[in-house]
Amino acid sequence: MVVLTEISEQSSSSSSSSSSTLSTYDYDVFLSFRGTDTRNNFTDHLLHALLEANIHTFFDDTEIQIGEFLKPELESAIKSSRASLIVLSKNYASSAWCLDELSLIIEQQRTSKHIVFPVFYHVKPSDIRSQRNSFGEAMAKHRRRMDAESNAEKRSQLAQKIEKWEKALTEVAAMKGAEANGSGFCRILIQGIVDEISRRLDPHRRSKIPKLIGMESSVTTITSFLKDGSGQSTEVLTIWGMAGIGKTYLADYIFKSHYLDFENSCFLEDIERNCTPPNGSLLHLQNQLLKNVQKRNSREISDLNMGTSMIEDSLSKKRTLLILDGINKVEQLDVLIGTKGLHKGSKIIITSKNGLLTEKCGLFETKDPPKHTMHLLQGLNDEDSLQLLSWHAFGRNKPNIGDKKEPMKVVKYCQGHPLALKVLGSSFRNEGTTWEDILESLGKEISPTITQVLKISFDSLPSEKDKELFKHIACLFVGEDRKFTEDILKASGICKSSGINILINRCLLTVGSSGKLMMHQLLQDMGKDLVRQESPEKPWKRSILWHQEECLDVLQNKQGTTMIKGLVLDMRTFENETSNGSSSAITQAFGFRWFSLLDCVHILLSVIWWLFGWVSGMYTSFGETKGDFETLALREMRNLRLLQLNYVQLTGSYKNFPQGLRYLCMHGFPLHYIPSDLEMDNMVALDLSYSKLQQLWKKPKLLRSLRFLNLNSCHELVRVGHFSGLPLLERLILARCTSLVEVCESIGNCQKLVVLDLTECSKLKELPIRSIGKLKNLTQLLMNDCSNLDEFSIEMKDMELLTVLRADNVNIKSHGTSSSAIVQAIPRSSKFFVKSLPKSLVELSLKNNNLSNESFPMDFSSLSMLKVLYLDNNPIVSMPDGVRSLGRLEILSFAGCRKLKMVFCAPDTLKYLSIFKCYSLDKIIFHPVESAPPEVYDLGASYALSEEVLRSFVFSPQMMVLDMVMKL
């Protein structure tokens, strides 16, 4: 969502000019009058009516007694008003200053489409046009004063003025206006004047509303909030999101669309900047707010407490729309809205990068706090992003068909960020930059305009530790699990308990549904650039190294220093580069065209030479240089806490590894066991996935800090044990260890264990079932495709925190026959089987276990928390009866159950039902309930059972039936 002000359907220059003109208006109406004639009667009533109609009016309530020229503030007010309302009374022309106002108003009408509306108050337009009676007498007096002037220059100036005054009087007398000649019907006359001014102003006031691209749903949500008049007290809405995402533009759009619907209104823009010297102060903002809501030139306040008191009083009197844009401190809210609340039906909209600030202000600590709604503003989708980029790059809604590829790459990089799309599009349009130049710069450097906006959030972080946390996540932990990251960085002294929440609340970080840390690409690039700026030319003096070439250079040249806290090197990066280059070379060598014999000889020789050079280069690069360095390179990095060395070849003693390491990741670790001289006392996380490990270590180790052990895809690992030395272990990942045959009984000592992943350990024959059953803190037990188990009868009733059990394809080989693991686990009394499962289960997956209807108990009610149940690829004929007793079930899958004929009365709570490849299915039956039926997934399609479809079902008093014809 963004405002388009620079570019219009016509030329961009005309649009820019129009936008500039509109933006200079401070008032709707300038009221010109002769105070001695009308101040205490007609003009006062007229001013009151204008303000009641929400027409912002400039009214000078002081009489000018000295000086010969119009006051600068009056001249400025006329030029910054859309219209002027001139009350022409008997003594109007006797005031030189009134005539100066009139001359300037008429001039503005000629040059800037200024609206002029005269009111002939007890005077005739013909007297003004012909300058008779009081107007003739007044002009004669001005001429006598001119004749009496002895200074020739001043006399000449007066003569020019009088000439302008006479022309202005003649022009205004010819205009259509209102005549007030009688003493009665004053109220009706004034209402007619106000109605006419409103009618003339309305197109101009509405024309300011900017055009938005995207975020229609946000506009709908906020408009609904404004239209809701049910509230008896003030209602507050907070629009929050990352810097540059469009909060201000959206708020501006909403204000200009709806401010006329309220008695009072005020929009304070960019408070974060405008309350900070030299740009402004909170006192300045208080004065601006009072000026807008009181609709008169109130005296300047000089005390914050007095200002807050006056604001509270003003806001309590009328229904007000108040928008406070760019709040970054609670004190700003306390000073600008106070604690007494607003008039009934008033609305406050706050924009901020910190969504939690609003409810910390004093207004929410009162006995009757306002209703608060939060609206998270997210980025544009790809379609709207392309449209916005095209507006700024090409001046139209979309690029030409042949020009779409490069802009789409820019769109993907910007991830819906309006400011970035605008800046990059404008650079293409205005600076002659090519798309290739723009794409080349992405990820390497950010536009200063974008950085300046993004860095505001970073600079406002409350502590240096929070800033260090942001940089470490941006460089090293995007995409990682939140708890995993938090525990490691806490142990490293980088993260405090509230650190990640602070980043989330300030929209510098988000957490996905799976608990993964996510960061916008622009923020990630800014974080990396902040680290780069620590030492632009000397990488070894930075706190974090992540750029692969720089990491390799520092290690090979032994340039490590105590400045380095984190280092990431993955040699697959270089392998991919070589592979891509090789592919390109081969493609060029074997292009599809006809060659002469001589061409073929040349090509053959070239290919032989290329292959020789490629093999030599590969041998040299990977055999001697790339990925091959001494452990001494790490010796000087004494403050290194986070180290990733994937697919490297090390020589030398592991004693050289820093003793303070908290996180060590070495994918492709080449040794068969962990060396005894590797210091691991402080290590929190160890990841040796895809390694050649056959066992963890030769002698047991006591690692009091280790919480995460990842041995994923260690295909040579045969057994794991000695868990008594890992008292704090929380996650043990053994997935795809295809040679694993034994897990030691000592795993029962890991009482902190939360996740145990044995997925695809296809040779695993035995499980320490008693030990696993004692793991009371276990929340996830993952055993999919452990298809070689001899026994599966874990007693789980004591595992009170287990929420996820995945046991797909765990067929047991027992007594020479093949049968289902789950069937073997179910005693003759199926009720006992259900009771043996923990009541805490939320997700249960039993895919491909040869389960028939007889395998299930009649009652699953003890699994009261279960929301997800997968029964795919089982020989089930109908939905097991026990499923109906699952009172919280939301997802039920029978995908691949080819014998399934009927789903009968599934739980009312069901939201999704999968019947993919259920080729025998004839009938689905639901209880008729008020809630919407589930979405049904069949053969890859999704069917939402709408009310119209439901009416076509055959109803019985107790149920409704959907007959289904399944076509293969």
Side-chain angles (χ1 to χ4, degrees), residues 9 59 65 117 150 187 253 318 329 363 386 389 414 483 527 547 552 560 608 624 636 663 666 682 718 760 800 940:
E9 298 289 349
F59 172 81
Q65 298 291 347
F117 190 87
S150 58
R187 182 177 59 82
Y253 177 89
K318 292 184 179 180
K329 293 180 180 178
L363 187 62
L386 183 61
L389 182 70
C414 292
K483 188 178 187 310
H547 190 276
L552 195 58
I608 293 171
E624 298 178 2
E636 296 302 318
Y663 169 54
M666 295 186 70
N682 297 306
V718 177
E760 294 184 33
E800 297 177 353

Side-chain angles (χ1 to χ4, degrees), residues 631 650 652-657 664 666 669-680 683 686 688 693 695-699 701 703:
T631 58
L650 296 177
S653 172
Y654 280 76
K655 282 185 177 180
N656 294 317
F657 274 64
L664 176 62
M666 295 186 70
F669 186 65
L671 305 182
H672 293 313
Y673 56 89
I674 299 173
S676 58
D677 56 352
L678 176 62
E679 180 61 56
M680 301 175 65
M683 201 167 292
L686 177 63
L688 298 177
L693 284 177
Q695 61 186 83
L696 279 178
W697 32 66
K698 285 190 172 181
K699 294 182 179 180
K701 279 181 173 284
L703 303 179

Side-chain angles (χ1 to χ4, degrees), residues 937-955:
Y937 290 83
D938 166 37
L939 300 176
S942 171
Y943 301 99
L945 304 184
S946 64
E947 292 300 322
E948 290 76 11
V949 175
L950 293 180
R951 293 191 190 102
S952 67
F953 294 172
V954 179
F955 283 91

